[in-house]
C-alpha cells in the first residue's frame, strides 16, 4: 500500500519524522514509493538533530553537510563518534577542565582545587602549542611552571595511536585522551 494513495506526501513525511533511524530505514524497504519518501531531506535533518541533541561538539564538516546531504551527515556523525583521537582544532576550540590523578601523589593533589571539592583548573590549548591557564593555580602554588607547551605524540604507556590520541605537556608523562565531548 502506498501512503500517497491516502495521504499527501507532506503528511507522510511528517509521520516519518517522528520515527527513529531504524524505523525510517525499515520503511525504505517496503517499496519504491516508501523508499523515495524515506530519503526526504527533512526526515534526515530531523534524525541528525536528534542524534546531536546531547553532543557538545559536531564537526564543521558534518554541520555543513546536513543541508546538502543530511543522510550522509548522519552516517558521518556515527563514524565520527567512533573516533578515539582529537584534532588540534578540537583541542584548541574548547576550555578544558584539568585535575591531577591520585597516582601523581599527595604533593600534587593536596593543592589541586578539584581534590578540595572546588571547581577544576581550567585551561585553553592554543594552536601555537602554548597552554593558557584561566585561573592562578600554578602561580598561587609556586610550582615554577610558567611556560606550558603541548604537543601530540604517537605513543604513550606502551600504546600506539593516531596523532591526537596522546598529548604531552612540556616533558611530563603523556596523557591519553578519552573523548567526552
Amino acid at each position: 500500500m502506498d501512503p500517497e494513495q491516502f495521504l499527501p506526501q507532506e503528511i507522510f513525511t511528517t509521520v516519518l519524522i517522528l520515527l527513529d533511524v531504524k524505523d525510517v530505514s525499515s520503511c525504505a524497504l517496503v517499496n519504491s514509493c516508501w523508499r523515495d519518501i524515506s530519503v526526504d531531506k527533512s526526515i534526515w535533518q530531523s534524525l541528525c538533530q536528534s542524534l546531536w541533541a546531547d553532543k557538545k561538539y559536531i564537526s564543521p564538516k558534518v554541520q555543513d553537510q546536513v543541508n546538502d546531504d543530511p543522510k550522509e551527515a548522519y552516517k558521518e556523525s556515527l563514524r565520527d563518534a567512533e573516533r578515539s583521537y582529537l584534532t588540534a582544532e578540537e583541542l584548541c576550540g574548547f576550555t578544558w577542565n584539568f585535575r591531577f590523578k591520585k597516582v601523581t601523589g599527595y604533593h600534587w593533589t593536596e593543592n589541586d582545587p578539584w581534590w578540595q571539592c572546588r571547581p577544576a583548573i581550567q585551561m585553553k590549548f592554543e594552536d601555537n602549542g602554548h597552554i593558557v591557564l584561566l585561573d592562578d593555580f600554578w602561580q598561587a602554588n609556586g610550582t615554577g611552571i610558567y611556560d606550558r607547551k603541548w604537543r601530540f605524540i604517537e605513543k604513550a604507556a606502551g600504546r600506539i595511536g593516531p596523532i591526537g590520541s596522546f598529548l604531552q605537556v612540556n616533558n611530563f608523562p603523556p596523557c591519553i585522551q578519552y573523548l567526552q565531548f
Side-chain angles (χ1 to χ4, degrees), residues 15 41 48-49 54 56 59-60 66 77 80 97 112 132 141 153-155 161 165-166 178 180:
V15 170
K41 283 185 177 184
C48 285
Q49 293 306 316
D54 63 345
K56 293 185 181 179
S59 77
V66 76
S77 292
D80 193 54
N97 291 327
D112 184 338
V132 176
N141 291 292
I153 58 176
E154 293 180 2
K155 57 185 176 178
S165 299
F166 309 107
Y178 297 101
Q180 295 181 333

Side-chain angles (χ1 to χ4, degrees), residues 35-48:
R35 183 192 64 235
D36 293 345
I37 295 172
S38 71
V39 295
D40 186 276
K41 283 185 177 184
S42 62
I43 294 169
W44 287 95
Q45 287 168 336
S46 176
L47 289 168
C48 285

